Amino acid sequence: MKICVGLSGGVDSSVAALLLKQQGYDVFAMFMQNWHDTEGTLHGDCEWEEDKFVAEMVARKIGIPFYFIDLSKDYRQRVVDYLFDEYARGRTPNPDVLCNREIKFDAFLKAAERLGADCVATGHYCRKEALPDGSFRILEGTDPNKDQSYFLCQLTQEQLGKALFPIGDLLKPEVRRLAKEADLPSADKKDSQGICFVGKVDLPVFLQQKLQSVEGDVVEVYGAYYADSAKHARDKELAKKGTALTDSELLELSTPIDYGDIRFETEVYRSGKHHIRKTRDKANPWAKRIGRHEGAQFYTIGQRKGLGIGGHAQPVFVIATDIVSNTIYVGEGETHPGLLRSCLRIAPDEIHWIRPSEAMQLGEDRRYRVRIRYRQPLQDATLLMRDSGLFILFDEPQRSITPGQFAVWYAPDGEMLGSGVI
């Protein structure tokens, strides 16, 4: 079997290549360049050139052929344009998930096949198993601190059939040890961070390449708002019904609160010894305008950094964004009611089952463990398949359920079964 390793210059893919070579496979490495621009990146230089240099040294050390491929056009069209489009709609995308589905196990895989590869191997911390019926399943990586199965949640059976994850049974310290023992140049290289193949970015600056910066209000929502909110009271009532909810009630519960009913009236007052006429907001028991921002599309639910808001005893978080009015709503404290929701919905055309044979039928309910972001501990939940989509009803309310992110569900044995865009 001829295997192409996606060699990134990091320690994980390096050890993946090393293990396959030691196991006697016909292995070659290929480094892909997916990004050229440096605008908005925090390093501000061509970091990929260093990665390529390290990857080439690793391939030489292991004794395998090394190739280079430029997939930047595919990456921009299939990942970065998606990222810009989602932020423009007020949603928060996950480009790493799309990168695996559209680039690593599609464009890159096809390029590897043209060089004679039967399959592609990566340094992901996850496990793959072949089943008697010829299908494949993905399981969490053995290292609970490094499990990366979440990022592979959109892969198909065809893609899985040509994928290998050689380090999925290893712990990170073991991977480092193997790299040092083999004297690989990447042994002490730090793990990459930020957007896949782009790196760490100043997100507003990065997005301003296509999205216009427009000032708007930052509105702090107080607890009194929820005490008076019929929607909030109704949601608490519906959450108690659990799986007895009707389809319309599930839709109602999965719909986030709309803060559009918060209005501000102004009044004129005189200030200073010269009694200069000024305008200010009248006191509002529900909320207060506390600042300005550069564009609602640059912020995401649950965000606390980059707001520039002080004077609070506890951290302030984004609880909602309104693209139409260009308003950001924030709340103080990690337990602010605006951060917590117990139900989310995935549209019918956004539901993806890794093994189609496991797909839920209309009207069916199942218990699974779910995460709504990478590295979040798995949460107990009930999945309900209905005409209007797949609903995920959590046992405990979840913080910062974010439109555009992927919800991923797992069986008790660690198999990742499916995913969908929230």
Side-chain angles (χ1 to χ4, degrees):
M1 178 186 290
K2 192 170 186 177
I3 302 171
C4 173
V5 178
L7 205 58
S8 66
V11 67
D12 298 329
S13 61
S14 299
V15 172
L18 175 69
L19 293 175
L20 291 170
K21 176 67 173 179
Q22 291 175 342
Q23 292 163 13
Y25 290 104
D26 181 5
V27 183
F28 69 92
M30 188 156 63
F31 178 94
M32 55 180 153
Q33 179 187 6
N34 287 347
W35 194 247
H36 293 274
D37 300 341
T38 58
E39 184 173 355
T41 58
L42 298 184
H43 49 73
D45 55 23
C46 297
E47 191 173 273
W48 71 268
E49 291 182 346
E50 179 186 342
D51 292 338
K52 176 178 178 290
F53 178 70
V54 174
E56 195 164 3
M57 288 196 300
V58 168
R60 189 178 300 120
K61 182 72 176 180
I62 296 173
I64 58 177
F66 179 85
Y67 298 91
F68 170 84
I69 186 171
D70 187 341
L71 294 175
S72 55
K73 182 178 180 181
D74 294 271
Y75 186 79
R76 177 173 283 280
Q77 291 176 345
R78 299 164 71 173
V79 178
V80 177
D81 285 351
Y82 150 84
L83 183 149
F84 284 128
D85 290 343
E86 285 288 271
Y87 272 105
R89 296 169 59 194
R91 292 156 59 91
T92 303
N94 192 311
D96 290 355
V97 172
L98 265 291
C99 180
N100 283 311
R101 187 184 77 187
E102 301 292 331
I103 305 299
K104 290 179 184 174
F105 296 99
D106 192 322
F108 181 84
L109 171 61
K110 290 173 181 174
E113 288 177 327
R114 288 193 292 270
L115 292 173
D118 298 301
C119 58
V120 162
T122 66
H124 284 98
Y125 286 85
C126 68
R127 295 170 292 153
K128 167 189 164 183
E129 285 186 1
L131 298 175
D133 64 1
S135 64
F136 303 92
R137 65 183 196 145
I138 307 178
L139 296 99
E140 296 173 280
T142 299
D143 190 334
N145 296 316
K146 291 296 295 182
D147 169 48
Q148 294 174 315
S149 57
Y150 179 91
F151 294 127
L152 304 170
C153 67
Q154 287 279 294
L155 295 193
T156 65
Q157 282 295 304
E158 183 180 5
Q159 290 172 314
L160 270 180
K162 297 182 179 181
L164 291 176
F165 310 109
I167 66 170
D169 288 311
L170 301 178
L171 303 179
K172 183 73 176 194
E174 294 179 84
V175 170
R176 290 282 186 193
R177 177 181 58 80
L178 290 170
K180 288 182 179 179
E181 288 178 355
D183 196 26
L184 298 183
S186 59
D188 295 316
K189 197 167 186 291
K190 292 182 179 180
D191 293 343
S192 60
Q193 294 181 318
I195 299 173
C196 183
F197 293 109
V198 175
K200 296 191 73 173
V201 300
D202 181 328
L203 192 59
V205 174
F206 182 76
L207 293 176
Q208 283 169 18
Q209 294 178 63
K210 281 197 174 183
L211 305 183
Q212 187 177 1
S213 176
V214 181
E215 276 200 5
D217 288 326
V218 177
V219 176
E220 180 177 0
V221 182
Y222 302 139
Y225 175 83
Y226 303 94
D228 295 338
S229 169
K231 163 69 173 169
H232 183 65
R234 175 67 171 163
D235 284 350
K236 291 174 66 175
E237 176 188 328
L238 291 176
K240 295 177 182 178
K241 296 183 66 174
T243 57
L245 290 163
T246 64
D247 290 13
S248 61
E249 288 173 335
L250 282 167
L251 267 175
E252 188 179 349
L253 183 60
S254 65
T255 302
I257 288 177
D258 180 354
Y259 295 96
D261 57 347
I262 295 177
R263 298 280 191 274
F264 295 99
E265 296 180 6
T266 59
E267 61 183 4
V268 177
Y269 69 103
R270 295 184 179 275
S271 175
K273 63 181 181 180
H274 297 296
H275 301 290
I276 298 172
R277 289 167 60 89
K278 294 185 177 181
T279 302
R280 65 187 175 193
D281 288 339
K282 290 183 179 179
N284 186 322
W286 288 353
K288 181 180 180 180
R289 286 193 276 207
I290 61 170
R292 301 284 285 174
H293 63 78
E294 296 182 347
Q297 69 270 29
F298 301 140
Y299 298 84
T300 184
I301 295 172
Q303 180 176 336
R304 59 174 289 191
K305 295 182 179 180
L307 294 173
I309 296 171
H312 290 75
Q314 300 182 66
V316 173
F317 298 88
V318 175
I319 60 173
T321 61
D322 188 328
I323 297 298
V324 176
S325 67
N326 195 30
T327 305
I328 293 175
Y329 297 94
V330 301
E332 182 180 2
E334 294 185 354
T335 59
H336 188 279
L339 283 175
L340 304 174
R341 288 172 54 198
S342 59
C343 184
L344 63 84
R345 170 182 170 267
I346 297 171
D349 61 346
E350 294 282 10
I351 304 167
H352 174 70
W353 292 92
I354 295 167
R355 284 199 288 148
S357 61
E358 295 300 300
M360 293 173 62
Q361 302 302 309
L362 195 62
E364 186 178 1
D365 301 347
R366 289 186 195 168
R367 293 284 294 173
Y368 284 130
R369 298 181 303 157
V370 180
R371 61 169 47 106
I372 56 174
R373 65 184 68 87
Y374 176 53
R375 297 187 73 88
Q376 181 202 27
L378 289 167
Q379 306 292 310
D380 292 325
T382 302
L383 274 63
L384 307 93
M385 183 65 76
R386 301 294 186 262
D387 282 322
S388 52
L390 179 64
F391 294 90
I392 300 179
L393 190 61
F394 293 97
D395 290 7
E396 299 292 336
Q398 299 296 299
R399 287 184 67 245
S400 308
I401 292 178
T402 308
Q405 288 285 286
F406 287 86
V408 182
W409 47 95
Y410 295 76
D413 66 354
E415 179 183 2
M416 181 172 62
L417 292 168
S419 66
V421 180
I422 300 170

